[in-house]
Amino acid sequence: MKIKYFYQLLISHIIILVLAFLLLSLLFSQFLENYIFENKVDELESFGNQILTELTVRIEGTEEFLNEYSQLLEARNIQYILFDRKGRVLYPELQQEPVVLLSEQEWLELSAGKGISVLHDIKRFDQEVTLVALPYMNGDQLIGGVILLSPISGAIQMISQLNKFLLYTIIISLTATILLSWFLAKNLIKRIRDIRDATSMISSGNYDVNVPHLYMDEIGQLAKDFNEMAARLKKSNEEIDRLENRRRKFIADVSHEMRTPLTTISGLAEGIKNNLIPEQEMEKGMNLIDREAKRLIRLVNENLDYEKIRSNQLQLHKINVNLLDAFEVVADQLLLQAEEKNNTIIIKADPETTVIADYDRLVQILVNIVKNSIQFTEDGEIYLRSEDRDQETHIIIEDNGIGIDPEEVEMIWERFYKADVSRTSNSFGEFGIGLSIVKQLVELHNGKIEVKSEKGKGTSFFIELPNEI
């Protein structure tokens, strides 16, 4: 049977309260009853001991003492009976029942010198009483004893009245608890329903949710954490959508870039095969095939590098690298590309400056950045400089090209991002993942990289790499 959580919570609160009140009422009533009767027994035993003591020390005036004591106890609604060893009543003289009604077990205890107490006796007398019987001993012999009786109707009436008050308290408390539990359960269910509705919205793809968290309890903390999760999911979803759009654009760019060199290579190969290219154009055609093939290899290598870095499969082999040598290698590799745009690569580095790095990956970092500078610079200078510090070396690559918009500076590190769509028409840096690889390679070297750019004035890259192991 399906029961709503609201009713489960309400019923559980009521059951717990009822059981708690019943248990406390029973325990309290029993404790009070025992306390009253035990006090009554102690009182009767005290009077009984006084009577037996007086009988022991008195030689004359016993009858007078017994009458006086009888009047005193009657004022306290207590009766007493003196009996001999055979159970015959000695005082007061009774019209009926001249023999004390004690059980065989009680006689055995009295004969052994032990007192008897019965908290609640309803069988042997005309009314409900508390009974105490004390033995009068002569050495080990039972001579007689005294029985004291106290009616308990008043105590029973008081306990009954108390139980009635307890019942009223239970009813009032139960009513208040039902109302309070209903309010709390209703409020709790509403808060849970808010989280459930928000969960349904997220499952349907709507991340614009905000669960109220006015109460700083566990559910309030859950609601707060839920809102933070929804915000992160929204941000992640936006990032996924952004990357998906760039991925689609990237695939379109790659398809275009691959089709162009493949078409060139295929056409030239077909022309060479069928002797359609003049002899004097043959070397030019072979150079074009070589350049387009390298272009395809560069595309494949950049994607392989990115996936290796992303899956932590790239292993670095760090050595002490002379930075001036690395700058010169990069300048030699990119000299022709720089000259095509009438750019000059200028190196300013101390011959003694070194860094701890993987040589091939360091060159790859520098090549990618310098390519980027060449891409956005024409008729300008590109500087490669170094500054040696205590435990690190700063590498600065600057150009005086067209620069990057401030809102795009931090986005250049993202995969597939291109600051300028015109890059797709260039033979290098066209795929939008070069700088993403650069940033991750620098971080793998335990270094840092930053970029500063101003539109129309150029761009500067700052790299910090350790120069000590």
Side-chain angles (χ1 to χ4, degrees):
M1 183 173 63
K2 184 178 180 181
I3 302 177
K4 290 186 176 181
Y5 181 67
F6 170 77
Y7 297 109
Q8 295 180 32
L9 197 62
L10 186 61
I11 292 171
S12 66
H13 285 177
I14 295 173
I15 290 176
I16 290 172
L17 183 71
V18 169
L19 291 177
F21 266 111
L22 287 176
L23 181 61
L24 289 174
S25 298
L26 290 174
L27 290 176
F28 181 74
S29 179
Q30 187 66 33
F31 168 78
L32 185 62
E33 183 177 347
N34 289 337
Y35 178 77
I36 292 174
F37 289 152
E38 287 176 1
N39 279 346
K40 180 60 68 175
V41 168
D42 291 341
E43 182 184 28
L44 296 177
E45 287 181 347
S46 175
F47 288 133
N49 287 325
Q50 289 182 19
I51 292 172
L52 293 177
T53 301
E54 288 293 332
L55 291 176
T56 301
V57 300
R58 280 181 179 271
I59 299 176
E60 297 180 356
T62 302
E63 184 73 20
E64 183 181 353
F65 163 74
L66 292 176
N67 290 332
E68 291 177 355
Y69 214 84
S70 177
Q71 294 175 3
L72 174 65
L73 293 183
E74 283 180 1
R76 303 178 68 90
N77 201 20
I78 297 173
Q79 301 176 9
Y80 73 94
I81 301 171
L82 294 176
F83 60 91
D84 62 13
R85 63 180 180 174
K86 294 183 178 181
R88 291 174 298 196
V89 175
L90 300 177
Y91 181 89
E93 295 181 1
L94 301 176
Q95 298 293 329
Q96 299 176 348
E97 302 291 347
V99 179
V100 175
L101 299 176
L102 294 176
S103 67
E104 183 178 351
Q105 179 63 34
E106 290 172 340
W107 275 111
L108 289 175
E109 292 184 9
L110 284 175
S111 299
K114 297 179 181 178
I116 298 169
S117 61
V118 180
L119 299 179
H120 194 175
D121 192 297
I122 60 174
K123 296 180 180 179
R124 289 175 285 192
F125 302 92
D126 295 336
Q127 57 183 335
E128 297 176 271
V129 298
T130 295
L131 179 150
V132 169
L134 301 175
Y136 185 68
M137 306 294 292
N138 183 13
D140 294 336
Q141 296 296 320
L142 176 66
I143 297 176
V146 60
I147 294 177
L148 294 99
L149 305 173
S150 177
I152 59 174
S153 56
I156 292 176
Q157 185 178 3
M158 183 180 69
I159 293 172
S160 176
Q161 189 72 17
L162 178 63
N163 288 334
K164 187 184 296 185
F165 289 147
L166 285 174
L167 179 60
Y168 293 156
T169 302
I170 290 174
I171 293 174
I172 295 172
S173 299
L174 185 60
T175 303
T177 300
I178 291 174
L179 295 176
L180 182 60
S181 297
W182 182 87
F183 173 77
L184 293 176
K186 200 75 175 176
N187 183 56
L188 181 62
I189 295 303
K190 179 183 180 301
R191 295 164 68 189
I192 294 175
R193 189 182 296 115
D194 289 341
I195 296 177
R196 180 184 175 188
D197 294 342
T199 305
S200 299
M201 292 175 65
I202 289 179
S203 65
S204 63
N206 183 4
Y207 300 99
D208 293 320
V209 297
N210 182 40
V211 180
H213 50 91
L214 302 177
Y215 305 94
M216 294 308 296
D217 54 8
E218 286 78 1
I219 295 182
Q221 189 62 45
L222 174 63
K224 182 179 179 181
D225 294 342
F226 189 92
N227 290 336
E228 292 177 357
M229 179 197 71
R232 287 194 293 268
L233 285 174
K234 181 180 180 180
K235 185 176 180 180
S236 297
N237 188 63
E238 292 173 349
E239 180 68 16
I240 290 171
D241 290 342
R242 186 164 62 251
L243 289 177
E244 179 63 18
N245 292 333
R246 290 178 188 164
R247 185 190 65 83
R248 293 193 185 116
K249 187 67 170 63
F250 168 76
I251 290 175
D253 291 345
V254 168
S255 299
H256 172 75
E257 294 295 339
M258 292 184 70
R259 182 174 57 190
T260 300
L262 286 174
T263 300
T264 301
I265 292 172
S266 176
L268 289 172
E270 187 71 22
I272 293 173
K273 177 181 177 181
N274 296 318
N275 296 319
L276 299 177
I277 297 179
E279 187 70 28
Q280 63 272 17
E281 298 291 331
M282 187 70 69
E283 183 177 356
K284 182 179 178 181
M286 295 300 293
N287 289 333
L288 186 56
I289 290 175
D290 179 65
R291 187 175 67 183
E292 295 300 317
K294 288 179 179 178
R295 186 178 176 188
L296 291 174
I297 292 172
R298 186 165 57 252
L299 168 63
V300 173
N301 287 339
E302 283 190 352
N303 279 278
L304 288 176
D305 283 345
Y306 185 87
E307 291 303 320
K308 283 182 180 180
I309 295 171
R310 194 174 63 86
S311 59
N312 294 322
Q313 295 180 353
L314 186 66
Q315 298 295 324
L316 299 180
H317 303 284
K318 296 181 181 180
I319 60 174
N320 200 351
V321 179
N322 185 284
L323 202 52
L324 180 59
D325 292 342
F327 284 171
E328 291 175 348
V329 168
V330 171
D332 290 341
Q333 286 187 15
L334 301 178
L335 179 60
L336 293 178
Q337 296 176 4
E339 289 178 347
E340 287 180 2
K341 303 193 72 173
N342 199 26
N343 291 326
T344 303
I345 299 176
I346 302 172
I347 298 174
K348 293 183 178 181
D350 191 322
E352 304 298 326
T353 301
T354 61
V355 293
I356 304 300
D358 183 304
Y359 179 81
D360 293 332
R361 297 304 175 183
L362 176 61
V363 171
Q364 183 180 2
I365 291 170
L366 298 174
V367 166
N368 274 282
I369 295 176
V370 175
K371 278 184 178 181
N372 186 84
S373 296
I374 294 173
Q375 170 68 27
F376 290 99
T377 305
E378 191 167 356
D379 299 325
E381 290 87 24
I382 298 167
Y383 293 88
L384 279 74
R385 299 188 291 107
S386 67
E387 296 178 1
D388 201 3
R389 303 290 175 87
D390 291 338
Q391 295 181 344
E392 60 189 22
T393 297
H394 289 203
I395 300 173
I396 302 97
I397 301 174
E398 298 177 303
D399 65 64
N400 52 7
I402 63 175
I404 306 172
D405 288 331
E407 61 271 14
E408 294 181 338
V409 169
E410 289 302 320
M411 301 173 67
I412 64 173
W413 307 116
E414 297 181 12
R415 193 183 185 191
F416 311 135
Y417 182 78
K418 297 176 183 179
D420 190 347
V421 178
S422 64
R423 293 174 66 184
T424 57
S425 64
N426 195 281
S427 60
F428 52 89
E430 60 269 58
F431 306 118
I433 60 175
L435 291 180
S436 177
I437 293 175
V438 165
K439 184 176 179 63
Q440 296 188 59
L441 286 176
V442 170
E443 291 175 350
L444 284 176
H445 281 83
N446 299 320
K448 299 177 183 178
I449 184 169
E450 295 180 356
V451 60
K452 294 181 181 179
S453 185
E454 188 174 350
K455 198 68 175 176
K457 293 187 178 180
T459 303
S460 300
F461 287 84
F462 302 90
I463 303 173
E464 297 179 8
L465 291 177
N467 53 27
E468 294 181 4
I469 296 177

